[in-house]
Amino acid sequence: MKNLLTGIFILVIAVSCNQKKSDSTSAANSGLQLTRVTLNGIPFNDADQMVKEYQADPSSSNPMTNIWFSEKYVTKIHSILDAEG
């Protein structure tokens, strides 16, 4: 009985892993445009460009003397960290 349950468990894991792979492949093949964004909603390409401009000329930015995080931002970070383990 243990061998049967172990076999079924392994089969379920194999099928579920295969399904996730095919879902991501089908999304890529369907022509969907995936957009990455930063945690504050700035599109990734815009944020990347901002970082590159700052690295080229750090004096172009106003230096911040303090920083504030909203509760929503901290909660979002917390949920990401929980999901990532």
Side-chain angles (χ1 to χ4, degrees):
M1 185 68 175
K2 285 184 182 180
N3 289 338
L4 177 62
L5 290 176
T6 304
I8 292 172
F9 180 71
I10 292 172
L11 180 64
V12 168
I13 290 175
V15 168
S16 65
C17 289
N18 222 2
Q19 183 178 5
K20 289 179 185 176
K21 185 178 179 182
S22 64
D23 288 348
S24 62
T25 304
S26 64
N29 292 338
S30 67
L32 292 176
Q33 179 77 20
L34 300 177
T35 303
R36 298 183 298 172
V37 295
T38 61
L39 290 175
N40 60 357
I42 297 174
F44 184 79
N45 291 338
D46 293 345
D48 192 43
Q49 183 62 34
M50 291 164 71
V51 169
K52 287 177 183 175
E53 288 174 6
Y54 177 78
Q55 288 173 336
D57 184 17
S59 65
S60 65
S61 175
N62 295 330
M64 295 180 70
T65 57
N66 61 12
I67 191 165
W68 177 82
F69 296 104
S70 68
E71 182 180 358
K72 182 179 177 182
Y73 179 82
V74 173
T75 303
K76 191 179 283 190
I77 293 287
H78 188 265
S79 66
I80 290 171
L81 291 174
D82 280 346
E84 294 293 327

